[in-house]
Amino acid sequence: MSRIKIGLQLYTLRELTEKDFFGTLEKVAEIGYEAVEFAGYGGIEAKEMKQKLDQLGLEAVSSHVPMHLLETELERQIEYSLEIGAKFIMCPYLDFNTYFGDEDKFKQTLEKLQQIGETLKQHHLQFGYHNHDFEFKKLGDRYVLDRLYESIPADLLVAELDLYWVKKAGVDPQTYLEQYKGRTPLIHLKDMTGDGREFFAEVGQGIIDYKAILETASANGVQYGIVEQDQCERPPLESVKMSFDYLKSIGVA
């Protein structure tokens, strides 16, 4: 079983990074996170970002890069990722109707994603896709997400499974994680409230059995568990500390 490193998707702290990016990174490191996944760089040059990460002992594992930037400035995104030492670039979201709405759109999307994956591979970076719940709609008789991973080779597109959204779609997260054993180097960790709202919750504070899931993840070769909370009902720094503390309490962090 491999040890999973615990990172934070900085989108969770977006209001704080807008005001003080480096100060926020310092707080993330103080909590105990080992790695970060970016969702924008706050206008900071890559060399300066790398110096700060090294100073704090934080690993830049990945970046979420929107599709329009993947299509218009891929080389720039590649250069930045290489400079900060990231291993992955993830497509964080694709509008369902635009990219998956029918067979023709789906085919065009596959071609675009495979081409991006091939370019990243040439630079020794790995491309991946981060799901929400809507990719569990069916196109034909199959989930769009399954068809996506069946159509593009794993070396050109890995799965960054967001287990909250898997659960939200009515699919069992642990079973689905097993389905993509060996193809999920990163997973997103956020919990779900049990009060009927199915809202975002700190890891360990909701109804998703993360202790069992993380045992499966470790056995399946998951390298990083990335905490992300799209919206927080507490101050976001308090929320990400709660998630980290829970993961530490079960021997993961």
Side-chain angles (χ1 to χ4, degrees):
M1 292 174 63
S2 61
R3 179 183 175 273
I4 297 174
K5 293 183 179 181
I6 300 301
L8 179 67
Q9 168 50 258
L10 291 170
Y11 178 77
T12 311
L13 303 180
R14 56 196 177 278
E15 294 178 1
L16 298 174
T17 56
E18 284 177 9
K19 298 174 183 176
D20 183 359
F21 208 110
F22 282 171
T24 303
L25 285 178
E26 289 168 4
K27 291 180 172 64
V28 170
E30 286 170 9
I31 290 170
Y33 283 96
E34 297 177 81
V36 289
E37 182 177 52
F38 288 90
Y41 305 110
I44 298 168
E45 293 296 324
K47 185 176 181 180
E48 188 181 359
M49 185 72 79
K50 175 62 173 170
Q51 289 173 343
K52 187 64 177 180
L53 292 169
D54 288 347
Q55 176 192 335
L56 296 174
L58 285 172
E59 179 182 355
V61 61
S62 175
S63 290
H64 276 199
V65 180
M67 188 63 167
H68 73 276
L69 296 182
L70 292 172
E71 292 185 292
T72 60
E73 56 170 54
L74 185 57
E75 290 299 326
R76 182 181 176 189
Q77 294 295 330
I78 288 170
E79 288 173 7
Y80 200 106
S81 288
L82 291 174
E83 179 70 35
I84 63 174
K87 304 172 185 175
F88 302 91
I89 289 179
M90 299 294 178
C91 178
Y93 170 88
L94 289 175
D95 176 75
F96 186 88
N97 289 330
T98 303
Y99 291 95
F100 304 125
D102 58 38
E103 290 292 346
D104 287 340
K105 291 177 180 177
F106 183 74
K107 183 180 178 181
Q108 291 170 11
T109 299
L110 289 179
E111 291 171 354
K112 289 178 182 178
L113 294 177
Q114 179 149 335
Q115 186 175 29
I116 293 167
E118 289 169 350
T119 302
L120 293 184
K121 185 178 179 180
Q122 291 169 8
H123 290 85
H124 307 291
L125 291 168
Q126 176 70 66
F127 190 36
Y129 185 75
H130 165 268
N131 66 280
H132 292 77
D133 57 345
F134 56 80
E135 295 93 346
F136 290 90
K137 293 179 183 178
K138 289 187 176 180
L139 186 62
D141 62 352
R142 304 279 289 145
Y143 291 143
V144 162
L145 195 59
D146 287 334
R147 289 189 58 184
L148 191 66
Y149 292 132
E150 289 165 3
S151 302
I152 301 177
D155 63 330
L156 301 182
L157 190 75
V158 295
E160 182 177 47
L161 294 183
D162 187 308
L163 300 177
Y164 166 92
W165 288 115
V166 175
K167 177 76 170 176
K168 184 82 167 178
V171 177
D172 179 66
Q174 191 168 356
T175 302
Y176 202 71
L177 184 59
E178 281 277 11
Q179 182 175 326
Y180 287 102
K181 182 176 182 177
R183 194 171 183 162
T184 51
L186 283 72
I187 55 175
H188 268 203
L189 312 176
K190 60 169 81 80
D191 220 327
M192 178 185 288
T193 63
D195 56 8
R197 295 179 302 150
E198 297 186 336
F199 195 67
F200 309 108
E202 294 79 10
V203 181
Q205 304 301 311
I207 61 173
I208 300 177
D209 186 359
Y210 271 112
K211 192 172 191 303
I213 285 170
L214 286 164
E215 288 173 0
T216 296
S218 179
N220 286 4
V222 172
Q223 300 169 34
Y224 298 88
I226 307 295
V227 171
E228 180 189 42
Q229 196 167 334
D230 304 42
Q231 298 177 49
C232 304
E233 296 184 301
R234 297 177 172 88
L237 267 175
E238 181 181 339
S239 288
V240 300
K241 186 177 188 305
M242 287 176 64
S243 291
F244 183 86
D245 289 346
Y246 169 76
L247 293 167
K248 187 175 181 180
S249 76
I250 63 171
V252 179

